[in-house]
Amino acid sequence: MDILPQNGQDDGISERLAQSSLGRVSSSLNLSTSPQGFSHPPSLNNGGAALISDRTKVAAKAKQLKPFATEDIKILLLENVNQTGRDVLARQGYQVEFLKTSLPEDELIRKIRDVHVIGIRSKTMLTARVLREAKSLIVIGCFCIGTNQVDTQYAAKHGIAVFNSPFSNSRSVAELVIGEIIVLARQLGDRSNELHKGTWNKVSSGCWEIRGKTLGIIGYGHIGSQLSVLAEAMGMSVIFFDAVNLMALGTAKQTPTLEALLRSADFVTCHVPELSETKNMIGEKELETMKVGSYLINASRGSVVNIPALVEAMRAGKIAGAALDVYPAEPGGNGYYFLNDLNPWAEDLRSLKNIILTPHIGGSTEEAQSAIGIEVGESLVRYVNEGTTIGAVNMPEVSLRSVTLDEPNHCRVVYIHHNIPGVLKEVNEILGDHNVDKQMTDSRDDVAYLMADISHVNTPVIRDLYQRLEILSCLKPLYYPKIGRFC
């Protein structure tokens, strides 16, 4: 989108401003460069400038910011991101490249060097080594719940926002767990495998109804709480353990300790994030604490359960069955990979009776992937176009209301910097020469985020604002802002 001065004539500056840096962090931006020329963002001890969006052209009742030439924006989507997400991004006019699989690290590094937005699911690992090569990257979209596959701290320190979809596949995971509870209780997996091989084995020993049994949920978040409701509807009693006190749904009860839950539950299911505190959360000691003949389900993160300890507990008859959807190491693509080369206990695990092994499909339903595509896709558009960080997992959450048709000749300034004293004072001295309609700032750890809408501006004023903020950044090397969006 061009910048038009108040007289409606393009003076030749507008195109250069429209194509200048797409929200990059840089210490020296050439206003005539296009998005392909973005420099790599520095760390917190380097300089930067500002992010400015002009809204001088009236186009709709709620005007949308477009701080660059959208056709220059390159987006890479990996791991078969749902069509809904691809459509959301393509409608903006971005260049969208779509691949059905993840990429090996070296190939990923080559691909990521000139893209501005990358969308991934759970297999792609965006480590510091990969992100260091992402010369133009401004935002990462995780089309899934978790973000542990991304070095979010490194991303934040280099001005790269990270978005995910924490709610959209909750129902799909909860339904999978309900199904697994029934399949384990009735030994359906074994009976099906036997009959596929020609063996008729009609037995009732060790097979149970789930009505009246106790389900223990570790982690009572979006998935755990939905699972609680579904389990109660099927006649189960529900107890749960969480690190914080939470309001229970229905007749569920919170236990004071994990041990109390393990001693009481017939079925134990894990729904916790991957943290140092949750690594091997269910190990030899916890399995020994569980009831004889109980069942274990893990659809959270592969590091939560000590799988060799689970193998031994099942061989000893302590645990009657288990369902695993996640593993410490997972293949990068589909194929005959679930072998000891991947995890040294894989073949021992596969040899067990009454165990359900699924390839990380908890959220793999059409409904969930469609919802995730829309949610993450729209978050990416709002961030790229407007600087809005609502929903970002590694940035302060900042947003301002939209400007209406009755508010022409406005621009938006976004300034991301190191959270140290004195930055806001000097930025506001620059903005104070103008009419700041609204302003918001917030911080998260070492990163602070300022957003301001300024009225009664034209192209020369916008360029002056940008240059003064750029000079400020060069003079203050401890400041870490994000550089220039113009539209």
Side-chain angles (χ1 to χ4, degrees):
M1 182 186 295
D2 291 339
I3 293 182
L4 299 180
Q6 290 180 337
N7 62 10
Q9 299 297 316
D10 186 346
D11 61 0
I13 298 174
S14 60
E15 182 177 358
R16 294 195 300 274
L17 293 179
Q19 293 180 349
S20 66
S21 67
L22 167 69
R24 293 307 315 145
V25 182
S26 172
S27 57
S28 58
L29 175 72
N30 184 336
L31 288 178
S32 65
T33 58
S34 71
Q36 286 87 340
F38 297 162
S39 61
H40 188 272
S43 61
L44 284 176
N45 61 0
N46 289 333
L51 199 89
I52 304 179
S53 297
D54 180 40
R55 284 168 281 178
T56 56
K57 180 180 280 189
V58 175
K61 186 173 182 180
K63 289 181 286 189
Q64 183 181 29
L65 304 178
K66 289 226 177 172
F68 45 79
T70 55
E71 65 273 12
D72 289 337
I73 304 310
K74 294 183 178 180
I75 297 180
L76 176 62
L77 300 179
L78 302 176
E79 302 183 64
N80 203 26
V81 167
N82 192 268
Q83 184 68 48
T84 56
R86 286 139 57 189
D87 290 344
V88 167
L89 298 168
R91 282 196 295 268
Q92 297 296 314
Y94 308 147
Q95 298 179 40
V96 180
E97 181 179 0
F98 164 74
L99 298 176
K100 289 188 175 181
T101 64
S102 60
L103 296 174
E105 186 173 71
D106 289 342
E107 187 176 350
L108 177 61
I109 286 173
R110 288 193 295 272
K111 275 280 190 184
I112 205 172
R113 282 176 177 150
D114 65 344
V115 301
H116 310 115
V117 181
I118 186 168
I120 62 172
R121 293 176 67 189
S122 58
K123 294 186 178 69
T124 300
M125 305 303 294
L126 294 180
T127 62
R129 176 174 181 257
V130 173
L131 294 177
R132 194 175 297 116
E133 300 295 324
K135 305 300 183 183
S136 302
L137 192 66
I138 63 166
V139 61
I140 298 166
C142 296
F143 288 78
C144 52
I145 290 180
T147 58
N148 58 297
Q149 69 275 42
V150 179
D151 190 332
T152 55
Q153 289 187 337
Y154 183 94
K157 290 179 180 179
H158 291 76
I160 304 169
V162 180
F163 292 88
N164 68 335
S165 178
F167 317 124
S168 295
N169 68 1
S170 301
R171 177 71 182 203
S172 296
V173 178
E175 287 187 3
L176 176 69
V177 173
I178 286 291
E180 289 173 337
I181 291 171
I182 296 173
V183 170
L184 291 174
R186 298 295 299 273
Q187 301 178 12
L188 295 182
D190 289 353
R191 299 294 86 78
S192 177
N193 288 336
E194 290 163 355
L195 203 54
H196 272 279
K197 296 175 182 178
T199 300
W200 185 277
N201 186 21
K202 182 178 178 180
V203 297
S204 59
S205 177
C207 297
W208 312 94
E209 294 181 354
I210 67 169
R211 180 181 55 176
K213 305 301 186 295
T214 299
L215 173 64
I217 302 173
I218 304 174
Y220 203 68
H222 302 293
I223 296 172
S225 56
Q226 284 204 41
L227 176 60
S228 173
V229 173
L230 295 176
E232 282 199 357
M234 301 191 72
M236 301 188 79
S237 299
V238 177
I239 56 177
F240 67 92
F241 171 74
D242 202 286
V244 297
N245 291 326
L246 296 169
M247 184 183 71
L249 300 180
T251 61
K253 293 180 175 61
Q254 185 166 6
T255 62
T257 64
L258 175 59
E259 181 181 358
L261 180 143
L262 296 176
R263 291 189 183 280
S264 302
D266 301 301
F267 295 84
V268 174
T269 180
C270 303
H271 302 283
V272 296
E274 184 172 55
L275 304 170
S276 57
E277 297 86 350
T278 62
K279 185 175 182 180
N280 290 330
M281 190 177 196
I282 304 298
E284 183 178 353
K285 175 185 174 183
E286 290 73 23
L287 291 164
E288 183 61 33
T289 303
M290 291 173 64
K291 296 168 67 173
V292 175
S294 57
Y295 303 84
L296 178 66
I297 299 170
N298 184 25
S300 58
R301 288 292 176 260
S303 62
V304 171
V305 174
N306 184 322
I307 295 183
L310 173 63
V311 170
E312 293 305 314
M314 291 190 66
R315 284 175 172 171
K318 175 71 176 185
I319 304 300
L324 302 176
D325 188 48
V326 289
Y327 310 90
E330 298 181 357
N334 295 338
Y336 193 68
Y337 301 124
F338 198 67
L339 305 169
N340 281 5
D341 292 343
L342 182 68
N343 293 295
W345 35 255
E347 292 175 26
D348 287 339
L349 188 68
R350 289 164 47 199
S351 70
L352 297 173
K353 293 290 188 180
N354 203 26
I355 187 162
I356 302 168
L357 303 176
T358 50
H360 204 149
I361 59 170
S364 297
T365 63
E366 294 287 354
E367 295 89 347
Q369 293 306 309
S370 176
I372 288 171
I374 294 170
E375 181 180 0
V376 178
E378 290 180 348
S379 293
L380 295 175
V381 168
R382 284 193 297 269
Y383 181 74
V384 171
N385 288 1
E386 303 176 18
T388 297
T389 56
I390 300 300
V393 302
N394 67 335
M395 289 276 185
E397 293 192 280
V398 177
S399 180
L400 292 176
R401 67 170 175 82
S402 299
V403 174
T404 68
L405 289 174
D406 298 328
E407 300 172 294
N409 305 324
H410 283 61
C411 76
R412 172 164 292 177
V413 176
V414 172
Y415 199 81
I416 308 174
H417 59 87
H418 194 155
N419 185 24
I420 58 175
V423 179
L424 291 180
K425 177 178 180 291
E426 299 206 32
V427 173
N428 283 325
E429 285 178 356
I430 295 174
L431 301 183
D433 294 335
H434 306 276
N435 184 32
V436 179
D437 282 357
K438 48 190 180 291
Q439 178 175 322
M440 182 178 178
T441 186
D442 199 358
S443 62
R444 181 171 184 163
D445 299 326
D446 293 332
V447 179
Y449 198 101
L450 177 147
M451 182 183 291
D453 283 352
I454 303 173
S455 62
H456 303 102
V457 295
N458 54 27
T459 299
V461 170
I462 293 171
R463 184 166 71 170
D464 178 68
L465 270 172
Y466 175 84
Q467 290 174 341
R468 291 175 67 187
L469 289 168
E470 171 73 351
I471 292 171
L472 170 64
S473 301
C474 294
L475 293 176
K476 301 291 184 180
L478 287 178
Y479 293 6
Y480 159 63
K482 178 171 284 190
I483 273 199
R485 295 185 186 179
F486 299 78
C487 68

